Amino acid sequence: MRSSAAGATTAWLKEFHDRLRARIREREGRDAAPTAGVIDSQSVKADAGSDSRGFDRGKLVNGRKRHVVVDTLGLLLGVMVTAADTGDRTAARVLLGQVADVHHRLELVWADGGYTGSLVAYCLTTLALVLAIVKRSDDMRGFVVLPKRWIVERFFAPLMRTRRLVRDFERRTASAEAMVYWSMTLLMTRGLARPGHGRG
């Protein structure tokens, strides 16, 4: 009974979140249904009581990983939380499938070099999505803002200013995903409450 109640709450939260996202997109002169997005992941420390944890060797983080797809305004289209040792391409197959099922007009997703390989062909043949890889040039030195990649980096910034999301305090991954939706719901509500305030 408790799990079904939690599932109903999460479904209600996602529906409310999605309606707010559509309102913001329309206010910015965009169609409510996005056609392009950006995918990335963020590893964060997680409490020992979590039901799934892992060690991200690349980021040297013991905890969980938030995989997200955002639109070109930096608004959330989908999130999946896994153990931090889950590969980006492995998670992307599932997450992009979920996002494509909901956002039927989505046709292009930008990603970094960590999403290369068979995932590109899988997205095209199975999901009818073009996965465009934005790579860092070999001659680049230091911090460089890459085309489209900054959009998802901007998405992660306010999450880390949310006290509950600085690290993963949730026991279940479903609860961790709900917290991301809740944080974005609060941010969008504040944005809509400020007339003339735009994101993009």
Side-chain angles (χ1 to χ4, degrees):
M1 177 68 73
R2 181 178 298 177
S3 60
S4 62
T9 301
T10 301
W12 171 86
L13 174 60
K14 288 179 66 175
E15 181 181 354
F16 184 56
H17 167 277
D18 291 351
R19 289 185 180 183
L20 287 175
R21 185 190 59 236
R23 286 274 304 276
I24 290 180
R25 285 185 58 84
E26 290 172 344
R27 190 187 66 177
E28 297 296 325
R30 309 292 184 90
D31 192 279
T35 58
V38 190
I39 187 171
D40 202 2
S41 67
Q42 176 194 52
S43 294
V44 293
K45 294 180 179 179
D47 284 359
S50 303
D51 62 5
S52 61
R53 296 170 72 216
F55 185 71
D56 182 342
R57 296 182 181 277
K59 301 294 177 59
L60 300 179
V61 172
N62 186 17
R64 284 179 171 161
K65 188 180 288 188
R66 297 167 183 151
H67 307 267
V68 303
V69 178
V70 301
D71 67 8
T72 53
L73 293 178
L75 302 173
L76 184 64
L77 300 181
V79 58
M80 183 171 73
V81 175
T82 67
D85 57 357
T86 301
D88 287 347
R89 282 172 287 188
T90 300
R93 282 179 175 250
V94 179
L95 178 58
L96 286 173
Q98 294 173 350
V99 170
D101 282 344
V102 176
H103 303 282
H104 303 293
R105 295 190 59 197
L106 192 68
E107 56 189 29
L108 172 64
V109 176
W110 287 281
D112 65 23
Y115 295 87
T116 55
S118 61
L119 179 63
V120 176
Y122 172 82
C123 287
L124 188 60
T125 58
T126 306
L127 305 178
L129 285 177
V130 174
L131 188 65
I133 306 300
V134 180
K135 289 187 176 181
R136 179 187 176 94
S137 176
D138 293 337
D139 59 358
M140 289 180 177
R141 295 291 182 271
F143 175 76
V144 179
V145 178
L146 298 176
K148 304 301 180 182
R149 296 281 303 114
W150 63 271
I151 296 173
V152 71
E153 297 298 336
R154 184 181 65 177
F155 168 83
F156 285 130
L159 290 189
M160 298 309 288
R161 292 196 294 270
T162 303
R163 184 180 303 175
R164 189 74 176 264
L165 295 175
V166 170
R167 64 183 293 148
D168 195 322
F169 295 101
E170 310 305 319
R171 181 175 181 182
R172 299 169 58 246
T173 55
S175 298
E177 292 165 3
M179 288 307 303
V180 176
Y181 278 109
W182 182 244
S183 177
M184 284 304 298
T185 296
L186 292 176
L187 287 171
M188 290 189 296
T189 302
R190 292 169 189 160
L192 285 169
R194 294 195 292 270
H197 178 74
R199 290 181 57 97

